[in-house]
Amino acid sequence: MNMYDIIYKKRTGNRLNREEIYYFVEGYTKGQIPDYQASALLMTFFLHPLTDGEIVDLTTAMCQSGDTVDLSPIEGIKVDKHSTGGVGDKTTLIALPVAAACGVPVAKMSGRGLGFTGGTIDKLESIPGMKTTLAEEEFLAQVNRLGLSIIGQTTNIAPADKKIYALRDVTATVDNLGLIASSVMSKKLAAGADAIVLDVKCGNGAFMKSAEDARALGKIMRTVGRTAGKNMVVLITDMNQPLGNAVGNSLEVIEVIETLKNKGPADIRLLSLTLAGTMICLGGLAETPEDGFRKAEEALESGRALEKMTAFLTAQGGDAGVIQDYGKFPQAKERRAVLAADTGFITAINTEAVGSASQRAGAGRETKDDPIDLSAGLLLQAKIGDRVTKGQPIAEIFGNDTAKLENAAEIYSAALRIENTLPICPPLILDVL
Ligand code: URA
């Protein structure tokens, strides 16, 4: 077997078998296959999309390229939650304490943000003292003790994905359904949960721009998960505007805490409770997702979810005093108001540009090792469907560098469309698969 024949076989429209897929994944991970041959093969997947069977084989090979986490020392049905990435998406930090407060054991490995999307681990690190690296025994013991732990992904989870993703990033091969599905699912399968709730984002702030593509991605990830014996539910949700009002690490965690105090924005509340309700149902603690939603709502409204969050932060060394005193978060030295350029209704928001504005203010990385400013970001004061008057403040930008803030404000202003007619607001939850 050799790479030339494998590339030729796929380029001419033939299905690759399991041995050929493993040959590529193992060889590339070990550095035995050069980037140029791996890139050529990745590009053939745009000419001849991977079949479901090929995606299953690719995912399994990538999953087996590194360590897999054994969650069997944790009692109960372990349920994971994953979002394909968006702007202002802080639902993990709400849905997980809610589900844990309802008895679902949650052992979650999360990633950092890259580019315009934020990552849960960066958000958590805006809490003074918070540890996001725990030894495996500590991680498992904490879940058994209080039902919830969230840590950064260890380096040896799906190393093949790490290498292939880095190559995709520089060869214009990221936005391929089979490659995204295998990348996401290889890490999810290695993380060891029994059931997974996937939130596939769809719209101008997501990889999948159309509902049709998002559904196709959701269906194939569901197939891959079920083939591996996991119980799966996929939500298709809107990303044509940021979720909630806060974008940027500490600003988002403050919005998380407000939501856990039952004072958060309606969209964040709805999606977080829907995700938590689905987790509760998959965890066998509710008959239906609707019943799970009611249980989740009760945990939120009674304050039990906030108590769970407090216990979780404290267990991982975080200063839970942030819950009462937001002044304990890293503070931006500068703020800049963005004013409406026109009078009318906000009819559209270029969500990816909002993520870029936040990144520009300092909240995101341009390359993977860049430092980030945990205090930087945006607070939106108007969203799609709101009527604004020329000169009215519509957002506030936070950071520590005047020039960057100016630039972020320009990017944000250009991201909005203001028109005379009231738009139809996009529904938040488009489908459940
Ligand atoms: N998230 C991932 O982990 N991989 C992709 O390919 C896209 C989004």
Side-chain angles (χ1 to χ4, degrees):
M1 204 179 301
N2 65 66
M3 270 309 279
Y4 181 95
D5 290 345
I6 292 174
I7 297 166
Y8 184 79
K9 184 173 177 187
K10 188 66 192 168
R11 201 202 85 193
T12 49
N14 298 295
R15 188 205 184 288
L16 298 180
N17 64 36
R18 196 177 150 82
E19 288 67 39
E20 287 156 343
I21 289 174
Y22 269 74
Y23 178 88
F24 159 62
V25 171
E26 285 173 4
Y28 187 60
T29 311
K30 288 183 188 147
Q32 293 160 349
I33 292 169
D35 285 348
Y36 56 83
Q37 284 186 318
S39 318
L41 182 65
L42 295 178
M43 201 55 87
T44 66
F45 302 159
F46 287 79
L47 304 175
H48 302 289
L50 290 161
T51 64
D52 287 7
E54 285 173 316
I55 296 170
V56 168
D57 288 342
L58 184 58
T59 308
T60 318
M62 281 163 50
C63 173
Q64 290 173 356
S65 68
D67 298 336
T68 48
V69 183
D70 176 12
L71 295 182
S72 62
I74 300 171
E75 287 160 33
I77 302 172
K78 279 74 69 180
V79 188
D80 199 354
K81 176 258 168 197
H82 182 83
S83 149
T84 55
V87 177
D89 184 3
K90 67 280 291 172
T91 54
T92 292
L93 289 176
I94 303 162
L96 269 48
V98 170
C102 294
V104 180
V106 183
K108 167 106 180 119
M109 288 195 176
S110 270
R112 294 185 184 280
L114 183 64
F116 69 90
T117 62
T120 298
I121 293 302
D122 296 324
K123 290 171 204 175
L124 279 178
E125 287 179 354
S126 68
I127 298 164
M130 193 70 190
K131 276 192 291 181
T132 55
T133 313
L134 295 182
E136 192 167 321
E137 311 78 67
E138 262 185 287
F139 174 59
L140 301 177
Q142 182 174 315
V143 181
N144 265 333
R145 198 171 66 252
L146 57 92
L148 172 62
S149 181
I150 306 175
I151 58 169
Q153 194 173 288
T154 60
T155 45
N156 211 29
I157 292 282
D161 173 62
K162 214 168 184 187
K163 274 200 84 172
I164 295 172
Y165 193 91
L167 186 65
R168 287 166 60 204
D169 217 10
V170 291
T171 55
T173 50
V174 170
D175 55 340
N176 177 279
L177 215 116
L179 288 173
I180 295 177
S182 52
S183 164
V184 170
M185 290 307 293
S186 61
K187 290 172 286 199
K188 290 292 105 188
L189 298 183
D194 305 305
I196 305 165
V197 180
L198 289 177
D199 180 3
V200 177
K201 300 288 181 200
C202 153
N204 64 21
F207 284 118
M208 297 291 117
K209 307 295 178 206
S210 73
E212 194 190 349
D213 285 349
R215 274 192 195 93
L217 177 63
K219 279 189 185 153
I220 181 62
M221 291 200 288
R222 189 183 59 179
T223 301
V224 171
R226 286 184 180 165
T227 306
K230 310 290 175 188
N231 211 347
M232 303 285 303
V233 174
V234 182
L235 271 65
I236 310 292
T237 69
D238 181 66
M239 191 32 74
N240 282 303
Q241 59 179 332
L243 260 175
N245 302 323
V247 182
N249 299 289
S250 55
L251 297 169
E252 290 192 40
V253 180
I254 292 170
E255 194 167 73
V256 163
I257 298 169
E258 284 289 290
T259 307
L260 289 170
K261 289 177 179 171
N262 207 20
K263 296 189 287 189
D267 58 345
I268 285 287
R269 184 183 195 276
L270 174 66
L271 184 53
S272 303
L273 291 180
T274 305
L275 290 163
T278 310
M279 291 176 74
I280 295 164
C281 180
L282 285 180
L285 299 167
E287 292 287 320
T288 60
E290 293 73 28
D291 182 27
F293 187 97
R294 280 188 289 278
K295 288 192 157 83
E297 195 165 40
E298 196 279 324
L300 186 83
E301 289 176 356
S302 65
R304 285 191 296 116
L306 185 62
E307 276 168 33
K308 189 60 77 179
M309 182 69 158
T310 309
F312 155 63
L313 298 186
T314 308
Q316 290 188 206
D319 180 356
V322 293
I323 289 175
Q324 303 310 334
D325 179 4
Y326 299 152
K328 290 187 171 217
F329 281 102
Q331 302 291 313
K333 290 199 190 69
E334 298 200 30
R335 292 170 174 215
R336 185 179 180 310
V338 181
L339 309 179
D342 233 322
T343 294
F345 295 100
I346 298 185
T347 55
I349 301 180
N350 177 343
T351 312
E352 187 169 332
V354 179
S356 302
S358 168
Q359 183 184 13
R360 192 67 202 128
R365 297 182 179 81
E366 312 270 342
T367 68
K368 86 178 167 37
D369 296 319
D370 280 350
I372 51 174
D373 178 351
L374 294 166
S375 70
L378 285 85
L379 274 184
L380 312 189
Q381 289 149 346
K383 293 182 65 180
I384 294 179
D386 288 340
R387 193 180 151 73
V388 296
T389 310
K390 187 172 179 177
Q392 166 192 336
I394 48 169
E396 198 166 14
I397 309 205
F398 296 73
N400 290 292
D401 180 320
T402 314
K404 283 186 179 175
L405 257 61
E406 285 302 321
N407 190 211
E410 280 164 23
I411 299 173
Y412 184 70
S413 294
L416 299 186
R417 202 159 70 214
I418 300 175
E419 290 171 311
N420 284 329
T421 42
L422 182 65
I424 297 168
C425 293
L428 181 58
I429 300 170
L430 301 164
D431 214 344
V432 180
L433 308 175

